[in-house]
Amino acid sequence: MDAIAPQQEAQAYLERHPKTKHLDALHIDLNGKAFGKRYPVDQIEKVFKDGTSMCAAMQLTDVRGDCWDTFGLGFSDGDPDGPCRPIPGSLVPVPWAGEERAQCLLRFDHERDGGLVWFEPRHILEDVLHRFSDLNLRPVTAIELEFYLIDLERDERGGPQPPCSPVTGKRQTSGNVFSIATMEEFGAVLSAIEQACKSQNLPVTTLSKEFGPGQFEINLAHVADPLLACDQAALMRRAVIGTSRAQGFDATFMSKPYGDQSGSGLQINLSLLDQAGHNIFDPCQADGDKKLGSAVAGMQHLLAQSMALFAPSFHAYRRFEPNQFTPVTLDWGDNNRSVAFRIPASEPENRRIEHRAAGAEANPYLVMAGVLAAAHYGLTQELEASAKGSGNVGEEVDPALPLSIWSALEQFRKADVLPDYLSARYVEAYAHAKESEFQSFMSEILPREHAWYL
């Protein structure tokens, strides 16, 4: 794309949407949330022509936006801005805004900032993707996200409540997994979400009812660009929440908003294409089974040391319980939702690995980086996977898996492979940011401490 193309994109958009009032220019932060600036319409072409700037340390803040001066970034260095530019093709309408508003996704300009924002999650993923270019392989990925529709009103303890049916007025109490009747009851908000995604060029393929009351899943189409897949997933979460609120509901991608209901996950589906466009996992291709097994073996080897990426908060580990279709072992298998690494039923040329460990609130770029690093490591080291699991392999937790934030961060810091892919300094920066968040979370006495120990 030549230098004039971004400005042309803005001009063409404004010609199609002449009543546009504002532009929301967004980054996706360490916690998968959007941050950025709002510009009046007369500044849109300038943003696309010249770029803009944004506080660099925002990519190391915690879930509440607090800065912990990780590596001296934020306070000690004077909190500098980094130059950034819109990502081509990301300029779209915001249909839930209540006015004619546009949004675009930004990335820090690493050529102009001289490596100032080396810790941007999108940049971390880019570095991992270069490894596949060296192998003449192209990852094809699709992301599935689960979420809960919830009531705008919280319960008496400040917790979420399942939504009331727009048809019956009754609050949802059961999951009714795959229920078409429930989909019809919430048809207006679900259709609005689908339409919002469509208007933002987010390739929704399937929307289904999941296990919990008010829980749904959205699947995005496979794309041969993992960066684009993560952009789409991050923006889809924003579209779901924004549209739900405009429709009189709320929505959450919290891993387990209800203690007695199923959790919400972020699944990565991965296949790899060679230069001829053939899927190297295809059993009809030479060594297809072996290469699939090696990629899975890499995922098995790196799962424990990557858990802090897949479950980034104290709360996220509540999702990992036996018999919940959430992986609690290193098993893999065919068409089996109790394993960590599932091989879905498909045509041979479409054979893929579904990585099932991440919680829905995790940063999609870092989840993707962890999954791809594991697959690359397994392939290049020609690792061998364990025997396939069958039946329910999720009845007991594998003690090798760190299923608390403190044990996951300990294994993350001691990782023997991840630093080679993410960089040692990013492993340290991420661990420091998340440890600081956890320490802040635990600094206040919890109500149960008084109930139990007073």
XYZ file of all heavy atoms in Angstrom, residues 42-87:
346
model
N -13.357 16.708 11.363
C -12.405 17.470 10.549
C -10.951 17.058 10.797
O -10.044 17.549 10.131
C -12.577 18.977 10.760
C -12.360 19.419 12.200
O -11.978 18.569 13.045
O -12.576 20.612 12.496
N -10.722 16.135 11.743
C -9.373 15.644 12.008
C -9.120 14.250 11.432
O -7.992 13.747 11.494
C -9.122 15.602 13.519
C -9.104 16.968 14.185
C -7.935 17.808 13.715
O -6.779 17.383 13.796
N -8.227 18.999 13.200
N -10.146 13.628 10.879
C -10.006 12.228 10.452
C -8.962 12.080 9.351
O -8.083 11.201 9.423
C -11.371 11.661 10.012
C -12.310 11.575 11.215
C -11.196 10.278 9.378
C -13.711 11.085 10.882
N -9.034 12.903 8.334
C -8.073 12.764 7.235
C -6.647 13.021 7.720
O -5.701 12.369 7.261
C -8.437 13.709 6.100
C -9.708 13.294 5.356
C -9.969 14.155 4.137
O -9.026 14.370 3.352
O -11.110 14.630 3.971
N -6.473 13.943 8.639
C -5.144 14.208 9.192
C -4.602 12.998 9.941
O -3.410 12.655 9.825
C -5.187 15.427 10.113
C -3.820 15.843 10.653
C -3.936 17.072 11.529
C -2.553 17.593 11.934
N -1.755 16.592 12.652
N -5.459 12.346 10.743
C -5.028 11.141 11.461
C -4.547 10.086 10.480
O -3.514 9.427 10.696
C -6.173 10.597 12.340
C -5.829 9.216 12.893
C -6.463 11.554 13.490
N -5.276 9.916 9.377
C -4.894 8.901 8.407
C -3.692 9.323 7.565
O -2.932 8.474 7.103
C -6.089 8.546 7.519
C -6.949 7.471 8.109
C -7.775 7.742 9.188
C -6.894 6.169 7.634
C -8.544 6.745 9.769
C -7.650 5.162 8.202
C -8.484 5.455 9.279
N -3.491 10.602 7.378
C -2.347 11.077 6.590
C -1.066 11.068 7.413
O -0.019 10.573 6.969
C -2.628 12.482 6.070
C -1.472 13.127 5.288
C -1.895 14.482 4.759
C -0.771 15.150 3.984
N 0.298 15.658 4.895
N -1.136 11.613 8.630
C 0.071 11.833 9.419
C 0.230 10.878 10.590
O 1.283 10.853 11.225
C 0.077 13.268 9.965
C 0.039 14.318 8.864
O 0.581 14.042 7.778
O -0.552 15.384 9.094
N -0.817 10.128 10.902
C -0.774 9.312 12.104
C -1.101 10.153 13.324
O -1.491 11.315 13.230
N -0.915 9.570 14.494
C -1.185 10.280 15.741
C -0.194 9.767 16.779
O 0.803 9.124 16.430
C -2.653 10.072 16.174
O -2.916 10.837 17.350
C -2.967 8.607 16.447
N -0.434 10.046 18.028
C 0.452 9.557 19.093
C -0.401 9.096 20.266
O -1.541 9.524 20.442
C 1.421 10.656 19.537
O 0.718 11.767 20.058
N 0.189 8.224 21.063
C -0.536 7.656 22.200
C 0.475 7.307 23.287
O 1.623 6.952 22.999
C -1.306 6.410 21.776
C -2.496 6.094 22.637
S -3.892 7.195 22.361
C -4.358 6.783 20.687
N 0.030 7.379 24.511
C 0.864 7.025 25.659
C 1.352 5.580 25.512
O 0.558 4.646 25.477
C 0.054 7.196 26.935
S 0.852 6.564 28.408
N 2.664 5.404 25.430
C 3.226 4.080 25.158
C 2.986 3.095 26.292
O 2.685 1.918 26.060
C 4.727 4.208 24.887
N 3.095 3.562 27.540
C 3.006 2.660 28.689
C 1.613 2.092 28.890
O 1.434 1.201 29.734
C 3.462 3.371 29.955
N 0.623 2.579 28.126
C -0.714 2.000 28.224
C -0.716 0.514 27.879
O -1.629 -0.211 28.268
C -1.675 2.747 27.300
C -2.112 4.110 27.809
S -3.045 4.026 29.356
C -4.509 3.121 28.826
N 0.306 0.054 27.164
C 0.371 -1.365 26.811
C 0.940 -2.217 27.941
O 1.149 -3.414 27.758
C 1.208 -1.558 25.534
C 0.516 -1.071 24.274
C -0.691 -1.938 23.901
O -1.164 -2.756 24.684
N -1.196 -1.763 22.694
N 1.170 -1.612 29.105
C 1.633 -2.379 30.267
C 0.800 -2.095 31.510
O 1.208 -2.442 32.621
C 3.115 -2.076 30.552
C 4.113 -2.708 29.571
C 5.515 -2.184 29.839
C 4.086 -4.225 29.649
N -0.374 -1.476 31.341
C -1.218 -1.195 32.492
C -2.021 -2.436 32.887
O -2.158 -3.377 32.105
C -2.178 -0.036 32.204
O -2.948 -0.349 31.041
C -1.419 1.259 31.971
N -2.562 -2.397 34.104
C -3.359 -3.536 34.551
C -4.807 -3.383 34.098
O -5.154 -2.458 33.353
C -3.239 -3.737 36.065
C -3.909 -2.633 36.887
O -4.696 -1.838 36.325
O -3.653 -2.580 38.106
N -5.661 -4.289 34.569
C -7.026 -4.345 34.074
C -7.823 -3.090 34.444
O -8.830 -2.775 33.802
C -7.724 -5.625 34.593
C -8.012 -5.519 36.085
C -8.967 -5.950 33.805
N -7.383 -2.336 35.447
C -8.056 -1.094 35.823
C -7.383 0.138 35.214
O -7.773 1.262 35.484
C -8.093 -0.946 37.343
C -8.875 -2.039 38.045
C -9.176 -1.667 39.486
N -7.952 -1.286 40.209
C -7.959 -0.681 41.399
N -9.103 -0.395 41.985
N -6.829 -0.383 42.002
N -6.340 -0.081 34.403
C -5.640 1.040 33.787
C -4.539 1.630 34.633
O -3.981 2.675 34.290
N -4.176 0.965 35.736
C -3.102 1.466 36.592
C -1.743 1.096 36.016
O -1.542 -0.012 35.508
C -3.227 0.891 38.006
C -4.434 1.437 38.750
O -4.877 2.541 38.408
O -4.938 0.748 39.662
N -0.811 2.035 36.109
C 0.553 1.828 35.610
C 1.454 1.431 36.776
O 1.435 2.061 37.837
C 1.063 3.120 34.966
S 2.784 3.037 34.439
N 2.273 0.381 36.571
C 3.139 -0.127 37.628
C 4.615 0.132 37.342
O 5.495 -0.477 37.927
C 2.880 -1.624 37.840
C 1.484 -1.854 38.316
C 0.415 -2.283 37.591
C 0.978 -1.588 39.622
N -0.724 -2.326 38.348
C -0.410 -1.896 39.616
C 1.548 -1.120 40.811
C -1.218 -1.759 40.740
C 0.742 -0.986 41.922
C -0.622 -1.301 41.881
N 4.895 1.045 36.425
C 6.276 1.459 36.125
C 7.155 0.265 35.763
O 8.328 0.196 36.130
C 6.870 2.217 37.317
C 7.914 3.246 36.880
O 7.734 3.862 35.819
O 8.920 3.418 37.603
N 6.562 -0.682 35.043
C 7.281 -1.874 34.610
C 8.480 -1.480 33.749
O 8.346 -0.727 32.785
C 6.349 -2.788 33.800
O 5.275 -3.206 34.648
C 7.078 -4.002 33.268
N 9.654 -1.971 34.108
C 10.898 -1.640 33.407
C 11.141 -0.132 33.361
O 11.768 0.384 32.435
C 10.878 -2.196 31.976
C 11.348 -3.616 31.843
C 11.382 -4.471 32.935
C 11.745 -4.130 30.620
C 11.800 -5.785 32.813
C 12.173 -5.441 30.482
C 12.197 -6.271 31.593
N 10.598 0.591 34.342
C 10.746 2.039 34.335
C 9.935 2.732 33.265
O 10.227 3.878 32.902
N 8.897 2.049 32.767
C 8.068 2.601 31.694
C 6.786 3.172 32.296
O 6.013 2.447 32.910
C 7.730 1.512 30.670
C 8.932 0.863 29.975
C 8.525 -0.427 29.287
C 9.535 1.829 28.970
N 6.573 4.449 32.136
C 5.352 5.074 32.629
C 5.638 6.259 33.515
O 5.306 7.396 33.172
N 6.293 6.030 34.657
C 6.642 7.134 35.551
C 8.117 7.504 35.398
O 8.456 8.667 35.185
C 6.349 6.760 37.006
C 4.884 6.636 37.308
C 4.323 5.401 37.574
C 4.060 7.743 37.301
C 2.968 5.278 37.850
C 2.701 7.635 37.569
C 2.152 6.396 37.835
N 8.980 6.506 35.482
C 10.416 6.794 35.507
C 10.927 7.417 34.226
O 11.891 8.178 34.238
C 11.195 5.500 35.796
O 10.856 4.982 37.064
N 10.296 7.097 33.094
C 10.777 7.642 31.815
C 10.000 8.872 31.365
O 10.151 9.330 30.223
C 10.740 6.575 30.716
C 9.334 6.055 30.412
O 8.408 6.403 31.183
O 9.173 5.325 29.429
N 9.127 9.393 32.239
C 8.358 10.574 31.876
C 7.112 10.284 31.073
O 6.481 11.207 30.541
N 6.753 9.018 30.941
C 5.509 8.616 30.274
C 5.405 9.174 28.849
O 4.474 9.895 28.508
C 4.310 9.077 31.097
C 3.032 8.323 30.762
O 3.130 7.238 30.163
O 1.945 8.813 31.095
N 6.354 8.820 27.974
C 6.351 9.392 26.624
C 5.253 8.809 25.743
O 4.781 7.697 25.963
C 7.723 8.990 26.079
C 8.029 7.702 26.777
C 7.467 7.876 28.164
N 4.868 9.583 24.745
C 3.978 9.098 23.696
C 4.792 8.338 22.655
O 5.983 8.600 22.449
C 3.275 10.267 22.995
C 2.119 10.831 23.801
O 1.658 10.139 24.726
O 1.700 11.957 23.506
N 4.127 7.420 21.989
C 4.707 6.738 20.845
C 3.895 7.061 19.603
O 2.666 7.170 19.675
N 4.564 7.234 18.448
C 3.823 7.493 17.210
C 3.054 6.254 16.781
O 3.512 5.123 16.954
C 4.925 7.836 16.205
C 6.142 7.132 16.727
C 6.012 7.152 18.223
N 1.864 6.447 16.251
C 1.069 5.313 15.800
C 0.272 5.687 14.558
O 0.074 6.872 14.259
C 0.144 4.806 16.907
S -0.688 6.072 17.866
N -0.147 4.668 13.835
C -0.870 4.856 12.586
C -2.083 3.925 12.536
O -2.062 2.841 13.132
C 0.028 4.569 11.382
C 1.138 5.591 11.176
C 1.830 5.395 9.844
N 2.857 6.405 9.620
C 2.596 7.626 9.147
N 1.356 7.971 8.868
N 3.576 8.484 8.962
N -3.120 4.340 11.800
C -4.262 3.446 11.603
C -3.864 2.197 10.832
O -3.015 2.246 9.935
C -5.243 4.300 10.792
C -4.844 5.713 11.071
C -3.348 5.670 11.235
N -4.462 1.074 11.199
C -4.253 -0.171 10.457
C -5.124 -0.137 9.210
O -6.334 0.095 9.305
C -4.601 -1.378 11.347
C -3.604 -1.463 12.516
C -4.612 -2.679 10.546
C -3.964 -2.497 13.546
